[in-house]
């Protein structure tokens, strides 16, 4: 049965709200009114038809690639979907990391792929293991899908592992889709895998690290022929992006330093707070957070659905139970929020853990 939905995404959207929800994986919303924008900048003059060039060029410039390697998409979500739609045919094997971001599994299934998995093991710090991936490949594997940084653990795959993975894919005539939506929260920031060879197809957006999820400004970087195929697939979906959003995204790209602002410093503070908290608890196992916006600790108490339920019932707080990442005794915690808010959330988490001890 092919997937027709993502249960996780539905849960993420409609779960009961909690004041100290540490469930998010993005930084606070950036306010566009802090940039020089007037309504005239958003003129609906038809310039998005076809393929709004200024935004495509801004993205190409940022990555040092040619504009014909850039495809615009509604967020990383649609970018992943278009990339997979152009890369796989029904019946192809697609090899996807575990734990994985559920909509990636859903999109591959929806497109008729046979889904195969490889593990990123907690005991290996969720590292990417190119040998393990190679051993999981079949003759029918056309695509390998990873996230870098890894959602949920924020593990960083370095260029050595990525190059080794590129060689594995090349030998098998397969491609690698790298969802890089968290990559700009690596410390220090790393370049995109698009520079590592034609096997790589990379997706990203202004959502997680820039606080601009509402713009739905996403993109795919790929070889020009492939990029063209993705643009054509999008003609079956939204055809063009919403033009005011494209214009706003262009303005955001012109001021990306302002948009990111103090976010790296805030994330560094928050990671340190979280690391101190995790270290102080004998019931949690977690690699110290060095990158990213989320961490994925293991709880000695078993299924973390219980922990989330207590947090919601008694502490007006929440985490993401690990069952959504196929590892029920872990939970995902997000620290993209204001630091004082994180402090209060961690206090509540500590109290809930003590109650369940
Ligand atoms: C790995 C991954 N990719 C994509 C997305 C969605 O990003 P966007 O809002 O740009 O569609 C998320 C959001 O949680 C994510 O974790």
């Amino acid at each position: 049965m092919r997937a027709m939905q993502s249960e996780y995404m539905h849960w993420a959207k409609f779960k009961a709200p909690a004041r100290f929800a540490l469930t998010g994986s993005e930084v606070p919303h950036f306010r566009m009114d802090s940039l020089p924008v007037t309504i005239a900048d958003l003129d609906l003059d038809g310039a998005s038809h076809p393929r709004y060039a200024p935004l495509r060029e801004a993205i190409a410039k940022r990555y040092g690639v040619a504009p014909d390697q850039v495809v615009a998409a509604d967020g990383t979500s649609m970018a992943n979907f278009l990339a997979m739609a152009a890369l796989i045919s029904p019946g192809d094997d697609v090899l996807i990391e575990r734990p994985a971001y559920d909509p990636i599994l859903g999109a591959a299934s929806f497109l008729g792929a046979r889904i195969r998995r490889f593990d990123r093991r907690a005991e290996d710090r969720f590292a990417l293991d190119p040998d393990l991936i190679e051993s999981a490949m079949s003759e029918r594997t056309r695509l390998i899908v990873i996230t870098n940084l890894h959602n949920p653990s924020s593990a960083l795959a370095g260029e050595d592992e990525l190059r080794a993975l590129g060689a594995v894919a090349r030998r098998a005539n397969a491609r690698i889709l790298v969802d890089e939506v968290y990559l700009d929260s690596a410390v220090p920031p790393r370049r995109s895998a698009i520079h590592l060879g034609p096997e790589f197809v990379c997706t990203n957006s202004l959502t997680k690290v820039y606080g601009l999820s509402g713009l739905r400004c996403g993109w795919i970087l790929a070889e020009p022929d492939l990029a063209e195929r993705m643009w054509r697939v999008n003609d079956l979906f939204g055809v063009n992006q919403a033009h005011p959003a494209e214009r706003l995204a262009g303005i955001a790209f012109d001021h990306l330093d302002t948009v990111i602002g103090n976010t790296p410093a805030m994330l560094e503070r928050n990671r340190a707070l979280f690391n101190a908290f995790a270290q102080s608890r004998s019931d949690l196992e977690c690699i110290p957070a060095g990158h990213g916006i989320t961490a994925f600790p293991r709880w000695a108490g078993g299924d973390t659905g219980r922990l989330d339920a207590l947090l919601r019932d008694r502490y007006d707080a929440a985490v993401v139970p690990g069952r959504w990442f196929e590892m029920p005794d872990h939970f995902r915690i997000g620290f993209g929020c204001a630091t004082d808010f994180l402090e209060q959330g961690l206090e509540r988490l500590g109290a809930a853990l003590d109650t369940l001890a």
Side-chain angles (χ1 to χ4, degrees):
M1 276 276 285
R2 68 182 179 134
M4 296 293 288
Q5 59 192 16
S6 164
E7 291 292 343
Y8 165 68
M9 187 51 74
H10 189 75
W11 174 85
K13 284 181 173 173
F14 295 108
K15 63 192 179 320
R19 173 134 193 257
F20 295 97
L22 303 177
T23 46
S25 60
E26 61 192 72
V27 304
H29 296 300
F30 178 76
R31 291 195 57 104
M32 286 302 285
D33 63 1
S34 51
L35 295 182
V37 188
T38 67
I39 197 78
D41 293 324
L42 310 183
D43 217 8
L44 302 176
D45 60 1
S48 75
H49 181 77
R51 303 177 188 175
Y52 184 54
L55 183 55
R56 205 178 177 192
E57 282 157 14
I59 296 167
K61 187 165 162 230
R62 175 163 174 233
Y63 286 100
V65 300
D68 64 0
Q69 290 181 269
V70 177
V71 184
D74 285 335
T76 312
S77 309
M78 193 61 173
N80 286 338
F81 187 87
L82 293 177
M84 285 195 252
L87 286 166
I88 56 185
S89 304
D92 284 349
D93 279 6
V94 173
L95 194 49
I96 301 177
E97 65 188 7
R98 176 171 46 217
Y101 174 60
D102 183 69
I104 289 178
L105 293 164
S109 163
F110 179 84
L111 291 165
R114 293 200 329 167
I115 296 174
R116 297 284 178 264
R117 310 299 298 279
F118 68 90
D119 286 316
R120 300 182 68 152
R121 290 185 289 238
E123 55 272 34
D124 296 338
R125 306 169 80 89
F126 295 101
L128 206 62
D129 179 345
D131 294 334
L132 182 86
I133 296 174
E134 185 159 34
S135 68
M137 293 195 42
S138 75
E139 297 211 323
R140 292 159 69 169
T141 305
R142 294 280 66 83
L143 182 67
I144 301 162
V145 188
I146 60 171
T147 50
N148 195 29
L149 309 175
H150 178 220
N151 181 8
S153 70
S154 293
L156 170 77
E159 289 203 358
D160 288 349
E161 295 99 292
L162 291 169
R163 280 183 206 284
L165 189 58
V168 167
R170 204 172 316 128
R171 284 196 287 279
N173 197 23
R175 307 252 183 184
I176 306 158
L177 173 60
V178 190
D179 176 326
E180 297 182 338
V181 76
Y182 298 102
L183 189 60
D184 289 354
S185 62
V187 185
R190 305 301 208 272
R191 65 178 184 159
S192 166
I194 193 64
H195 301 291
L196 302 182
E199 297 76 26
F200 289 92
V201 173
C202 301
T203 54
N204 204 338
S205 70
L206 293 180
T207 294
K208 299 292 174 185
V209 188
Y210 298 92
L212 288 171
S213 58
L215 281 184
R216 310 309 299 140
C217 173
W219 56 89
I220 309 157
L221 308 177
E223 287 284 282
D225 288 358
L226 253 182
E228 180 62 27
R229 263 178 25 218
M230 294 169 195
W231 281 107
R232 299 288 187 99
V233 174
N234 197 44
D235 286 344
L236 304 181
F237 293 96
V239 183
N240 295 325
Q241 320 309 124
H243 193 48
E246 289 177 316
R247 293 244 171 172
L248 284 169
I251 292 165
F253 265 99
D254 287 344
H255 298 88
L256 222 45
D257 287 348
T258 307
V259 175
I260 200 153
N262 294 325
T263 292
M266 181 194 79
L267 288 175
E268 196 174 318
R269 263 196 324 272
N270 290 0
R271 283 185 213 110
L273 258 182
F274 168 74
N275 288 339
F277 171 83
Q279 263 186 357
S280 74
R281 300 224 45 115
S282 59
D283 50 356
L284 296 185
E285 265 172 49
C286 192
I287 40 172
H291 309 280
I293 307 177
T294 63
F296 196 51
R298 180 176 174 279
W299 179 43
D303 189 335
T304 56
R306 217 157 54 92
L307 173 62
D308 183 50
L310 180 71
L311 279 168
R312 287 168 188 279
D313 274 4
R314 218 186 286 173
Y315 297 97
D316 205 7
V319 293
V320 180
R323 71 171 184 279
W324 293 117
F325 291 93
E326 307 164 272
M327 296 180 80
D329 57 350
H330 287 246
F331 63 91
R332 194 187 74 177
I333 180 165
F335 31 72
C337 50
T339 301
D340 58 337
F341 185 94
L342 177 65
E343 270 166 342
Q344 295 182 66
L346 288 175
E347 228 169 79
R348 285 165 163 77
L349 175 58
L353 287 167
D354 288 344
T355 305
L356 293 170

